[in-house]
Amino acid sequence: MSYIKYKEKKVYYETHGQGKPLVLLNGIMMSTLSWKVFIDAFSKSNQLILVDFLDQGRTDKMEGISYTQEEQGEVLKTLLDELNINKINIVGISYGGEVALEFAVKYQQYIEKLVLFNTTAKTSPWLRDIGTGWNRSASDALDYYCTTIPVIYSPQFYTEKSEWMDKRKKFLTENVFNQKPFMDSMIRLTESAEHHDVVDKLSSIKIPTLIVCCENDYITPMSEQKQLNELIQGSQLVMLPNTGHASMYERPVVFASLVLGFINLEQTEFII
């Protein structure tokens, strides 16, 4: 287990493999453990770096302390300084993609390439009220599950994987969503995204960027990623059909292929 200190809080991280540094940034309910299935593939030719943000996984909790996604970006900056790394490739999904954007508009010189799945440039009233609904249901495990989890997946995946989803419901409601420290962390994490807004700063991003949207994303709809594509000069946009917000779980092979292909492709421009 490896930790760094950020403002007297212990921040957990892992490194795997060697090569071009690749940082995976967690979605809001995720932790370093969420990437377990991808570790072998992503560390075969790259130095894979995983980190638990404040209030996530094995990083310290922030009881009584409010923070923003911009501060989560400062956690990443502190980690890179600790590891003496001055050039990385960042892959962020959802909350992690938003932190990646907060980091990119401030520390672009650290980034070689940027990959954003299911990410938004700004917390819209739609997304803010979704978060409010999550937090208002946080005192009851089953209410929280039914409020948060079904809409994270596409209807097709949720139906076809119903047995897996039932097992996940049992595990989450009996072991996770009934734990007050975890739920308090989820409330703070959700609140930390309320004022996310980098719309006016995105034109400053000049690095190769891949943006991935999903046809059945009901948390950050495709229009959000299309806006990113319009605002980040030279960015590439890919749409995954029949896929929801949890794209890494619904389409793991496609997720890995897009990430590794884009990050490790040496040539960024082709003249036809």
Side-chain angles (χ1 to χ4, degrees), residues 5-19:
K5 274 290 188 71
Y6 175 79
K7 294 185 177 180
E8 303 306 313
K9 295 293 185 179
K10 290 196 306 180
V11 174
Y12 177 80
Y13 74 94
E14 299 177 6
T15 61
H16 303 268
Q18 296 181 332

Side-chain angles (χ1 to χ4, degrees), residues 67-131:
Y67 52 91
T68 64
Q69 288 175 310
E70 183 179 3
E71 186 159 15
Q72 302 282 28
E74 293 300 324
V75 172
L76 176 59
K77 172 66 162 51
T78 301
L79 174 60
L80 298 181
D81 291 344
E82 179 74 18
L83 298 177
N84 196 29
I85 295 175
N86 56 23
K87 210 68 169 179
I88 58 171
N89 295 275
I90 297 181
V91 179
I93 184 166
S94 188
Y95 186 97
E98 291 158 15
V99 174
L101 286 175
E102 297 279 359
F103 184 88
V105 299
K106 192 172 184 179
Y107 299 114
Q108 184 173 180
Q109 68 273 20
Y110 278 78
I111 307 174
E112 183 177 349
K113 293 181 182 178
L114 179 63
V115 182
L116 304 168
F117 281 78
N118 310 91
T119 297
T120 178
K122 176 181 179 179
T123 299
S124 65
W126 159 280
L127 187 55
R128 186 177 297 112
D129 282 353
I130 288 174

Side-chain angles (χ1 to χ4, degrees), residues 26-264:
N26 304 333
I28 194 167
M29 292 187 188
M30 296 170 61
S31 71
T32 54
L33 291 173
S34 304
W35 301 105
K36 184 178 179 180
V37 68
F38 296 101
I39 288 177
D40 287 346
F42 280 31
S43 63
K44 186 174 182 180
S45 301
N46 295 88
Q47 180 188 22
L48 175 63
I49 302 170
L50 308 176
V51 59
D52 285 334
F53 290 131
L54 302 172
D55 264 328
Q56 285 187 333
R58 284 171 274 192
T59 289
D60 281 350
K61 305 305 179 188
M62 299 288 284
E63 295 96 336
I65 304 173
S66 62
Y67 52 91
T68 64
Q69 288 175 310
E70 183 179 3
E71 186 159 15
Q72 302 282 28
E74 293 300 324
V75 172
L76 176 59
K77 172 66 162 51
T78 301
L79 174 60
L80 298 181
D81 291 344
E82 179 74 18
L83 298 177
N84 196 29
I85 295 175
N86 56 23
K87 210 68 169 179
I88 58 171
N89 295 275
I90 297 181
V91 179
I93 184 166
S94 188
Y95 186 97
E98 291 158 15
V99 174
L101 286 175
E102 297 279 359
F103 184 88
V105 299
K106 192 172 184 179
Y107 299 114
Q108 184 173 180
Q109 68 273 20
Y110 278 78
I111 307 174
E112 183 177 349
K113 293 181 182 178
L114 179 63
V115 182
L116 304 168
F117 281 78
N118 310 91
T119 297
T120 178
K122 176 181 179 179
T123 299
S124 65
W126 159 280
L127 187 55
R128 186 177 297 112
D129 282 353
I130 288 174
T132 298
W134 288 11
N135 286 351
R136 287 177 65 87
S137 67
S139 60
D140 182 279
L142 183 57
D143 282 355
Y144 192 76
Y145 179 92
C146 292
T147 302
T148 61
I149 301 302
V151 293
I152 289 176
Y153 297 95
S154 66
Q156 179 178 328
F157 181 87
Y158 201 90
T159 300
E160 291 178 352
K161 300 290 185 180
S162 60
E163 184 176 344
W164 181 80
M165 293 306 310
D166 285 343
K167 291 178 181 178
R168 189 156 179 77
K169 178 192 290 187
K170 180 177 174 60
F171 174 78
L172 290 173
T173 56
E174 294 182 1
N175 300 280
V176 182
F177 293 166
N178 62 347
Q179 301 297 314
K180 191 174 187 304
F182 177 86
M183 297 312 301
D184 287 346
S185 293
M186 279 305 309
I187 291 172
R188 290 189 295 269
L189 282 161
T190 302
E191 290 175 344
S192 75
E194 285 187 354
H195 301 292
H196 167 65
D197 184 355
V198 294
V199 171
D200 293 338
K201 301 175 183 178
L202 292 181
S203 61
S204 67
I205 297 179
K206 307 297 183 184
I207 53 180
T209 302
L210 175 65
I211 300 162
V212 183
C213 62
C214 297
E215 183 180 27
N216 300 131
D217 186 345
Y218 306 120
I219 305 297
T220 54
M222 289 192 296
S223 58
E224 303 284 359
Q225 291 82 58
K226 290 177 180 178
Q227 181 189 39
L228 286 175
N229 179 227
E230 292 169 358
L231 294 174
I232 300 178
Q233 183 179 347
S235 61
Q236 306 293 318
L237 178 66
V238 172
M239 189 274 284
L240 302 184
N242 301 318
T243 306
H245 189 69
S247 54
M248 58 177 284
Y249 290 142
E250 292 195 37
R251 300 285 186 266
V253 173
V254 175
F255 176 85
S257 299
L258 287 171
V259 169
L260 294 175
F262 186 77
I263 293 300
N264 292 322

